[in-house]
Structures are given as C-alpha cells and as structure tokens.
Amino acid sequence: MPMRGRCTKVLPSELNKVCSERGDDPATHPWKMSDFEVVPNLQQSSSSVSKSRRKAHFPSSSNEKENLISWIPENIRKKECTYFVESSQTSDSGRIVCECGYLREQHLEDAAKPPIFLGKEWDPRTHIREMPTDAFGDIHFRGLGQKMGKYVRVSSDTPPWVIYHLMTHHWGLDAPNLLISVTGGAKNFIMKPRLKNIFRQGLVKVAQTTGAWIITGGSHAGVMKQVGEAVRDFTLSCGHKDSEIVTIGIATWGTVYNRESLICPMGGFPAEYVLDEENQGSLSCLDSNHSHFILVDDGTHGRYGVEIPLRTRLEKFISEQTKVKGGVAIRIPIVCVVLEGGPGTLDTIYNAITNGTPCVIVEGSGRVADVIAQVASLPVPKITVALIQKKLSVFFRDTYEQFTEGRVVEWTKKIQDIVRSRQLLTIFREGKYGQQDVDVAILQALFKASRNQDNFGHENWDYQLRLAVAWNRVDIARSEIFTDDHEWKPTDLHPVMAAALISNKPEFVKLFLEQGVRLKEFVTWDTLVYLYDNMAPSCLFHSKLQKVLLGEREHTASSKMPRIQLHHVSQVLRELLGCSTQPLYPKPKHTERPRLSIPVPHINLNVQGTSLRSLYKRSAGRATFTMDPVRDLLIWAVVQNHRELAEIIWAQSQDCMVAALACSKILKELAKEEEDTDTTEDMMALAEEYERKAIGVFTDCYRKDEERAQKLLTRVSEAWGKTTCLQLALEAKNMNFVSHGGVQAFLTKVWWGKMCVDNGLWRVIACMLFFPLLYTSLIAFREKRLQSMGCLTRLRDFFTAPVVIFHMNILSYFTFLLLFAYVLMVDFQPVPSWWEYLLYFWLFSLVCEEIRQLLYDPDGFGVVKMASLYFKDFWNRLDICAILIFITGLTCRLIPSTLYPGRIILSLAFIIFCLRLMHIFTVSKTLGPKIIIVKRMMKDVFFFLFLLAVWVVSFGVAKQAILIHNEERVEWLFRGVVYHSYLTIFGQIPSYIDGVNFNIDQCSPNGTDPYKPKCPETNKDNKKPIFPDWLTVILLCLYLLFTNILLLNLLIAMFNYTFQQVQQHTDQIWKFQRHDLIAEYHGRPPAPPPFILLNHLQILVQRGLLCRPAMCHRQLKEKLEKNEEAALLSWEMYLKENYLQNQQCQEKQNTEQKIRDIAQRVDVLAELLDLDRVKRTGLVEQRLTSLEDQVHQSAQALRWIMQALQDHGFSSGEDVPPAGSGKALETKEFDLERNPEESQSLYHVLARNLLYPGSHTRRFPVPDEKVPWEVDFALYDPPTYSAEHKDMAVQDPFSLSLESLLKINYNTMDGLIDRQSFHGLYTVQDGLPLNPMGRTGLRGRGRLHCFGPNHALHPVVTRWRRNLDGSIIRKSLKKMLEVLVAQYPLSDVWALPGGSLEPGETLPLKLKWILRREFWPQFQNLLKQGTEVHKGYLDDPRNTDNAWVETVAVSVHFNSQNDVEMKRLNSFLQGCDPELCIRWQVLDKRIPLHTNHKKLLHKVSTLLDAYY
C-alpha cells in the first residue's frame, strides 16, 4: 500500500530494520524454539534503556517531547472523509450527516464542494484518505485527581510495528513478559460479587507478578470497566509507582465521546478529558483507569468494532517479539481472557483459538462465556444445533429473538471448533479445586497450551520453565513443570539457573538446587565471567570493576575497553578483603582461556559475543572449574547486596565460618563507599547478620569440641586467599565474634603459651625473678612431657610464653624509664656518664626492635604493605614519635652550645615514653577498658577545642582592642588574646578589666617593661582608666556564661555520652584489642631490651646469611593436611546444618510467626468453607435442572403416546425422546485430555475449517451433525472457489460451466488422470462429484488440481531410535521410533516426504525433491516391500464438496541399524533447494507435523507396537 511505503521511509533506522525484516504479511508465524536465547549484554536491551523513563508520565526532558512531536505526525496517520455524501440516516440531534457518520462542518473544506473526479456513490476505499495524526500526547482526566495516561489517534491501516515502536521507545514501556487480551461484553453487566473480586484480584496479580500488559477495549463500560476498576483498586492499595500496571485500551476513535478535547496538532501535554457518562448517548467514554490509549480511526463516526482488526494484528505482532527477561530471551506469550460477551466476543475467541492463542473463559460471567463453559466438558458430537439453541435461549434471553437459524448454525460450528481445541481452552469455575485464583488459571492455560503444542523433543518443557522464570512464579513451576510427567536432568537447568541468578530470583535458585543442580558442575570460569559481565550497572562493585578496566586500558594504551576477567574481579576483591589475603583468582598466563561448558540444550547464553551454547557443550575435560564454586557464587551475590540469594548460597558452603566473615568484611567495605543511605544501611545490616551466622556456627562447634573449634580459627583457608577466620574477623572488626568466649579462650591459651591458663600471675612473677622455681610444682604445663622436673624444655617454654615476655618487657620498660628519669634529673653532665651511655644503648635496642617489627613479613606482603600496616597502629606511631624526639634531643645534647635545649627535648621525649605505658595496661581487664574510654574522649576534646577556640579568640580580641591601644609586642598580644582569656575560664580574671580594681603599678604605661603588660588607656590628669568598664564587665559575663556553663557542660555531656556508649561495649572492645597485644608479644623475641639485641643478631644471621624466610607461629596460622582439613570442614558443615535447623525452629517458635501462621490458616479455612458452600449450591442447582429436564422429557413422552393412540398407528412422526437426562450428560465433566480418542469426530474436521487455506474465502459453517449428505440441511448454500494454477495441463476447468464439466469422466480413468475412488463409486450431481465423507462448506475444487479424488502417496520411513551403544531406546516399556521428515520451502511446518501424484507418475514430486534420481527405482522397490497402513480418504484442509484427497500410506521400516538399504537411502538424500530441510525425528504424539500426517504416524506406531 502507498501509505505503508511512505511510513516506512520516515521511520528511524532501527525501525526500518524491523520493517524490512517483518514485511506486511499478517500471516501467522509459528514460534520456533530456536528463538529462545540469551542476549550477550542485558544492559544494552531496549527494555532496560527505557525502564528509567517508565516511572514518569511526562517526557523527562524538552528534547524528548520535541522528538515525540516530530516523530508521531511523520509516522502515524489518521483518516478523514474527503467527499460529503448525504446519508439516509441522521445524527442523534436530527441533523444531516455524511455516509461516514460525520456532520458537514466536521469535514474538510474540499469535501463539501461539488465533485469533479469522484464517483457519485460513497466508497470508503476511495473517499477516505490518510493524513498526519492530530491527536496524541498525555491525557488528564479532569476531576479525578492526578490520573494521567498516554494516547494517540492512529489509522486503522497503521502497521503494528509502528505502534509497538511508539510504546516501547517513545512511551518508555518495557516489553511485556506476558500479553493478556481481555475481551467480553462491551456493555455493563452484573457479576456475582465473589466472582468479581476473584477475577479482579487474579487479573491484577498475574499482571503485577509477571510484568504483563493488559489490552482491553479502553471504554468505561462492560469488561473494560471491570479491568480498570481492578487496576485502580490495586494502585490504591500499593501506593507506589513501581507497582504500576500497564493497561492499554484500544478503542475506536469515532465512538469516543468528547474526543474533540484530545485533538491537538502539536500534541496535548496534557490534554484535558472529561468523563461524562450521562450525556455520552450512543458513544462511550474512555476509562480513566487505563494507562495508555490507542484510538483507531477509519474515517467514520459511531461505528463500533473498527479497532478489532488492528488490535488483532498488534497482539499477534507483540506475541512474535522476543523479550529478554532475567537473561533468557523468549517469545512473548499471549492469553485471551473472556468475560460475558456477545457475537463479537465469539468471533474473537474463535480467531484466538485458530491462531493458537490459549483462552480462559470465566464461567458465571454470562452470555457467550457461559454458553462455552456449559458445553466445554461435552464430547464434540454431543454439541448439537439444538443444544446450542437451548443454551442461547437461556443465556441470551433478551436478544434471543435476533438469532436466526443460520446464525445458530454458525455459532454451533464455531463452538464445536473451539471446544475441539481443548488444549487451548481453560474454563475458570469458581470453587474448582486447584484453580481458586484467576492468575493460576491464566498461567495454567498457557502451560497447558504449550505442553500440548507440537514440538521436537523437550522444547516445550524448556519453554515453560523459561516462562516461569521470566514471570517469577515459582509456585507455578513447582505445580506445573517439575512433575512426574518429565524428568529433568541437572544439566538442563544450568541456563535457567544462570538466568535466575542474574535476575535475583532466590526462590528459583532454591528450587533448582532442590532439583539436583550441582554448583560444582554449574560454576565454571566462563560462567563467572558471564555473571560478572551482567551485573547491574547501578551496583557499586560494577563501577569499581569498570575503574579497574579503565586503568588497565590506560596502562596498555589500548583504545578498546578490555573484557571483564576474573583477575579484574580479584583486584577489587583484594581491596575489599584486605591485602592480607592472597588473590582469589590469579591472572592467567594466556589471554584466552579454554572455554568451559556443561551440556545444556535449547538455549544460547552469550558472554561478550561467545554463546553459552558453546559454553555449555564442550567436553568436561576441557572445562575450567573454579576452586570453590559456592564461594564464587556467594561473593557474586554479596557484592550486589542480594540478601536472600546470598543466604541460599551460603547454606550450601562448606567453609561456612570463613565465608560468613569474608562476606561481613566485603559488605562493610562496600558500605563505606556507597552513597545511597538506604543501601548502606542494608549492607551494614547484612554484614551484621553474617557475623551472627559465624558466631552461631562457631558456638555450636565450640560446644561440641573446643580443640577442633579452635583449629577452625587458625586454619589457613586456601579458597579464601590463604587467610584464617580470626584474621578475617579482625580485618572486618567483628567485635562480637572476637569477644566470643571460645575465641577469648583461644587467645588466653596463646597468651599462656604451653603453660596451663590457671597458673596464678604471682607464680609467673616469682619464677621470672627466681627461675629455679620452675623445677618445682609451682608452674603447671598443659603437655604431660613437660611435667617432668628435669626437663630443660620447661625453661625454654616458660620464657617464650607471651605472658612471661610481656611481664619481662614491663620490668625492662620500667627500668628504662627509671634510668631515663635518673639521667634527666640527677646525672645530666656536659660529658655523658656511663649511666647515660647505658640509656642510649637501651634506646638502641628499642630502635632495633621497632625495625624488626617493621620488616617482619612472614606472609610475604612486601615492605610497602608491612610499612602501611605498621604505621596504621597508633602505638607504633607513638613509638616512632618518641624515638625521633629522643634522637633530636640527643643530637642537641651532644653539641655543647645546645646542651640545655637538648635536655628540654629529652624531657619531652620522656613524657611520650611514659604515655607508652598505657598500651601495656591494655592487657588489664580493669585498666584496659578505661584506656579505651580515654582514647575516645580525646577525640571529643579535639572537636570541642574548635568550639572553644571561637569564643576564646573572639572575647580575647575584643577585650584587647577595648582596653589597650596599639600593643606591638607579639608575645603580650598572645597573652592578652589567648592565654588570659583561657585562664579566665578557670577563674583567673585580670584585675585591670574592671576600673575599680585598676592599679597602674601592675602595668607599663608605654609598654616598655618586658615583664608587664601595657596599661589601658587612662586620663592624662588623674591617670584613671577611660575605657567603658560596664561594657567589659558585660562581655566578661557573657563569655563566662557561654564557656563555663554552656561549653564546659557540653564537654561533660559529650564525655558522659561517650562513656555510656563505650561502657556498653567496653568489654567487647577490650577483648577485640586484646588480640593485638597478644599477637605482638606472641611474635616478639623472648629477651627484653637491651638483651633483645641477641635475638636480633640471631634473626640477622638466619635471614641475612642463611636466607631462611620468616616463619609464622602455628598457633595463630596453621595449614592442615588435606585429610585432616576435609574431616574438619565436614564436621563444620554438619554443625552448620544443625545451626540452620535450630534457627528455623526458633523462627517457628517466635510469637509473631505463630500469630501469622494461625491467621494464614484461619484464612485458608474460611476460604475452604466458602468454596464448599459454593460447590454445594452449584450441585443443588444442577440436580434441580436435571429434575426439570426429566419432567419435561416425561411430558413429551406422554404427549407422544397420546398422539399415537389417537392416530391408531404403530409409530409417530416424532422421534421417541431419550429416557436419560440430557442435562445430566452435560453436567458430567468429560476428561478429554486423558481420553483423546473419545474427542475425535466421526466426520472430517480439517476439511471444514471456516477459512480456506491460501485464500480469503470462508466456508459455509457446517456443524458435525449436518456433514452427511443424507441429513437434510436446507440452509446449506456454500460459496464456490477454484484456484487457477500456472500449469493448465494438470488441472480441471476453472469455471463450473456444464459444458466443461460434462467432458470429465468420473469413477474411471480419465486419460492419465485416475478419477476412481478407493471408497467405490461416488455420486455425481449436476456434473460435479460429491465428497463421499459429506459436506465441507465449499463448492468447486479449491486448490486441488482435479474434481473428484486427488490421489497422493505418503511413504512413512522409520527406524528404531538407538543409544550410542546401539541398543534400542524404550519409553513406557515400548520401543521408540525415528521417522524421516522434511520441511519444504515456503513452509513452516514439517511433513512426511510425500504428496500428490502427478498424472501418470508413481512417485510424488515432493518425494523426488529429496531423493536423487538414481535412487528412485530402488525406493519404488522399498515401497513394494513395505506395509500399507492407510488407503483412502485423507482429511485435508484443501478438500471441498467436489474435490478431495485420497492417499496411500506405506510403512517402510528398517529394523536393523546396519541395514544396507537404509544406509543407501541416507546417502541418496539430497535437497534441490537449499531451503529444503531433511531430518530423522523422534516419533511421538507431539511431533510438529500436519494433523493428518500424525494420524498416519499413529497407525504406523500401532503396527510396529512402538511408543507414540
């Protein structure tokens, strides 16, 4: 069409691409499972781009609005009538209107002028033209608050992809996961309150949980109003925009009331719309609860149903699109929901069923819905014209008179076809078991349709699972997918497992783990790369990864951003876990790693362009698995703050304590950099939760076995960077964990070395002072071998214990301070004495010890890292400060001219050395917490001084300026401004500030006396001060008020708050910091200064000369043997399971949880009681109806008997009524899904499809009961259709003239054409043969070549399906077959390799296409040797009343896999056309072939006793 070509030219580039690929053909394209795939980068999909725009109704910027204003008129059209022709009808106001329905003034100016080139009769194809639309933008419903929506007026011929592009790109809608098309009554109707509530809640629930679009008619009446009110109630109950449901109303522009207010050529932003139901008349108002409106215009006014074709095309187009959700790309499914409805609704249902769209019929809503629901459980042969007529009289009481006999016949035919497709039909009955909710019924309908859809292999099961994951409906997955009907292999679930992880669906991850997914097989190197590559861009970890990649690109000077690899992840993780851990993922030596994979069919996952089909289909030997897959997934979940997902994965971990502490560390580090406050709080809460998990597991371990629990603390975890539990807890500052009794007991054990921890401290001091006491029983050791009195090891183990080293260092340090004080106060001579030299030597030993601590690197961190760790400690910085000041003072002391300044500096150094004593006291449980409080209060004082300095300086400067004029001495300026003002706070008020107490002798008038301040300004006569003393007194009072009372009390309050805050956690803080002291003295040489120099000399020899690396003590870091470590981890995992079970029990015992459980049970019980009442009421109604039918039949029987007696005959003109109850038969449900044979019709079905294939011709509706020619059918008036073929030599005459028909010889050989039927002689009427199987609804020969029988041949070539070892595969104890099938060009359906026989030919042309010419004779021999399984009529959609297909089906079976003929057949298979596909396919009932071909396969499987 010209319009479409014009529109296509102005579309954007991406839309032009879509148009060129799609074309204008509205034919149905069946879904292919190859379309379900995973795209490489989820963040680049259009849906994610537009997601941020969906929250706002208005365009987010003026540029977007300008683009919309320019794009819509260029691409979207409306329709206008260009020729005014008076109509015989008038408007509602009695005015003259055009044939289009509009008034004269509503036409264009040229339309009312006399026509020149136009015809006299009004023709919509000629007199209606398209032009740019003038109604679009935002619609605001006046008087209804802030209700806003989008709207656009479109031509009825608008291509659906243009509308879809508008919705997804310009309106900012996400592509739907499900399309729900709601249809039904357009007028208001009455529903039962309970059914109405169930429908509303279910519809909104399925839309909200699956992210669906709801499409309705958009008007404020009937089913559209019901949907709108359901959305309104949900929106009011939720109250947040994220829960917005997309509800699209597709209405006819010409039937919208007040549409003039929507017209705005430049767009209405917004357009004010008034919903006025009282004055709408025959028109309808738009529903205010819909979010988007598409108003379809065909140029007419007041004609309903104009939107239906465009709506059908749009729904079909959307259902063919691919939606990326959770890493899985699926075709968007569509379902039709029906409430009430009339003739148009029946057509909608019929079209939906014909196109393969599942339908959900709500029983009890009225009219069409109830008619279909009442007969849906009956066999199709029992759905007769009389039955439908009866149902119409019941449910269409008011309009039943409008149903003519022909219309009833048409309805019967359509309802029969609808009910025949039971796999697409779902009846929602209120109170039906397992279907209490509409949302469940809708999703079950989709799954039932998918389950019964023809497919190869297990594709539909995979598709259903992808739908469930995309919808996040784990309940549906449990009840409908993971059943006994299908056995899932764990590897089949790997792709959807990845999708569930990416989309953060923990319930599905838990379900897949329950179904046997092993993380060791799932998590591989490339899988992790794929997961990290698809992290949300808003994630902090993702931004840190991008910084690493950017740094690498700058380092390599590359223009291309490098791909994410695991060594990049490792860099970020090392920053978070601390450099004390080794890299978790080492950098590979080669840039390209061997790709891993585990076989998973039917899905494509992409990792930066590499498909996960290849990722998951390589040999297991080449797969690169990670060290600990649970660790890898746990880290991936934690860094994204996925709480529930991480909890599920942590429950699978073996090294659970280290994992929990590492997660706590990672979360705390990320929380420091996170800018969002809510996310920070969530991260900190999750970090605390993991700390509690670690404590809980450790508590259970410690209760079971203290020794093994303490091994868990110091065990080196290879998986977590060769770190330990204790080290991670310290890095994360997990005070609760470190202060745990078991950890403290371990630290105490380390503190006492190999001695028993119950030794008194006085005993240790006594043995320190007099070591021979060690050989008495005064000191007890833990090891029995040390208990012997003569053991020399006792001496070494005693003096190497940290507690002994600590007290010896205390003694040494006090001695050092005494010596230092003695030198400063008593023996500080110009020439140093030997005491002073001893002091310097002692200091040298301290300096050497500090150097040893700085360079001590048992873990191989490096000098830079060790230096940063060293200077991070406050006490180390204090030591360095004291040593530097001491060295400075010593330098000045050795210079005679600076002897005294040197002594002053050394005195300052002595102060700092004394402060160092506080670190020693931290070991005390009494003094340690107090020192912590002092350190915290020092911070308060530091910040308090800033506030105090403001008042001190402000008062000091003002006082100095008022009292003294031009003081030039800097030292006295400082005294007056700062020093005197500071002393004033403590009560030392200057006397000269008040004129009464002024004494001129205490100051210097001219400021020349260096020991006196300058005098205030005085009177020259009597030397009295002239400054305003009243002002200075007021300033002094205010100053003292704010400093003494306000600020000092504020400082006291800060101290009190700090004390209370720290006091609550003092014990924890002290226990946490106690580790640092124990670790320091645990690794310290045993000799105290200055004797420690001997140990330093020993270390220097070992490391410098013998090159021995530094060794870490086993008590704080121990690497276990593999067997011992495996046993320890298994024990830990066992106790972790106990801990999780105990946690679940505690949650169940929680009072609040009990209340919630009881409330839920009460609700369920009330629901069951209500449902039982509904069931009992329905049963009573059924019984009453059955009784009425029986009474009615009895009355008919009596009348028949009376009539027979009156006529004295032996029979009557009327048939004897049946004795049973027809209603009883109706109410008895018929399970046709389990008994498909009972649903098969006795007559041809495909040959009566209303739409004849390959044309626009519609058959005359023929119900089942009217098929036989013997049955009278007075209304039967079928159309005539005969297609014209290019090859005139192989077809009968196109016209039905009697002359041409008389030339045909029926029931015999007519030249080369065989017109004999396998069923014997057929009837010829008026020169045309009659179909022996009955009426079809169409005369002529259709698309067939000849009148009468058209012979065909269908070879069914089969072989047994075998395993790799050659054994035959069985299912349900029966052997499985494989059949040879082909897909011909221009066809989307697979078929058997056969077809129509050309006149004089023995092999079909289609069969010759797939076989080489030299094999044709041999194949004919195979056919002769084969078994004939069918010979006769074939139910074909091309059949007509006068032409039909008859075929011979021959079974050619190869029993042996080594059959020579089968090998030759495989070698001679070929395709003349590259689009021709040939394959051996497993034979079962869902194989995607033509329906009539499947019947032939069924006969073959029965013949061979094979599975079908």
Side-chain angles (χ1 to χ4, degrees), residues 430-545:
E430 181 185 3
K432 184 177 179 181
Y433 176 75
Q435 204 184 71
Q436 291 86 358
D437 298 322
V438 174
D439 64 311
V440 177
I442 292 174
L443 301 181
Q444 285 179 344
L446 286 164
F447 284 146
K448 184 172 71 171
S450 173
R451 195 175 299 121
N452 290 276
Q453 186 179 11
D454 295 339
N455 64 91
F456 287 131
H458 304 294
E459 292 169 343
N460 278 348
W461 290 103
D462 297 329
Y463 171 62
Q464 293 174 37
L465 184 56
R466 280 157 184 74
L467 286 181
V469 173
W471 298 337
N472 198 20
R473 292 299 296 262
V474 71
D475 56 331
I476 299 296
R478 290 183 183 274
S479 61
E480 300 293 329
I481 299 175
F482 291 100
T483 60
D484 296 335
D485 297 337
H486 180 66
E487 182 179 354
W488 289 91
K489 295 180 181 179
T491 52
D492 293 341
L493 301 175
H494 286 179
V496 284
M497 178 73 168
L501 287 169
I502 292 171
S503 53
N504 189 22
K505 293 174 179 175
E507 291 298 327
F508 270 101
V509 173
K510 186 176 181 180
L511 175 62
F512 297 149
L513 291 175
E514 293 173 358
Q515 296 299 321
V517 172
R518 298 186 60 189
L519 295 181
K520 290 184 178 180
E521 296 178 356
F522 168 71
V523 181
T524 51
W525 190 280
D526 287 348
T527 305
L528 280 179
V529 171
Y530 170 73
L531 292 176
Y532 278 106
D533 192 44
N534 286 280
M535 294 178 70
S538 58
C539 176
L540 176 61
F541 193 86
H542 183 270
S543 62
K544 295 176 74 67
L545 268 179

Side-chain angles (χ1 to χ4, degrees), residues 178-184 203 213-216 311 315 334-338 348 357-358 360:
L178 170 63
L179 197 63
I180 304 175
S181 178
V182 183
T183 186
L203 180 67
W213 286 2
I214 301 177
I215 296 183
T216 73
R311 175 177 172 177
E315 291 175 353
I334 180 174
V335 63
C336 180
V337 180
V338 181
T348 302
T357 301
V360 177

Side-chain angles (χ1 to χ4, degrees), residues 42 56 214 248 250 295 351 393 404 544 555 612 652 713 718 842 1137 1146 1158 1232 1239 1259 1288 1319 1330 1352 1389 1456:
L42 302 183
I214 301 177
I248 302 172
I250 303 179
L295 307 177
N351 292 333
S393 64
T404 62
K544 295 176 74 67
H555 179 71
L612 268 190
Q652 304 292 321
L713 292 176
E718 295 288 340
W842 207 310
E1137 297 295 335
Q1146 291 179 4
I1158 293 173
L1232 296 176
S1239 64
R1259 298 178 189 264
M1288 299 296 293
H1319 298 277
L1330 296 183
V1389 183
S1456 173

Side-chain angles (χ1 to χ4, degrees), residues 42-43 326 497-506 509 522-523 527-536 539 541-542 545 564 566 569 573 584-585 628-643 645-646 649 663 666-667 670 720:
L42 302 183
Q43 283 74 41
M497 178 73 168
L501 287 169
I502 292 171
S503 53
N504 189 22
K505 293 174 179 175
V509 173
F522 168 71
V523 181
T527 305
L528 280 179
V529 171
Y530 170 73
L531 292 176
Y532 278 106
D533 192 44
N534 286 280
M535 294 178 70
C539 176
F541 193 86
H542 183 270
L545 268 179
I564 292 179
L566 290 186
V569 178
L573 288 177
L584 300 186
Y585 308 110
D628 190 342
V630 180
R631 172 205 67 181
D632 301 327
L633 279 188
L634 181 61
I635 292 175
W636 179 84
V638 164
V639 296
Q640 297 180 91
N641 199 25
H642 290 168
R643 189 188 198 95
L645 196 60
I649 299 173
C663 291
I666 291 172
L667 288 166
L670 288 175
W720 289 93

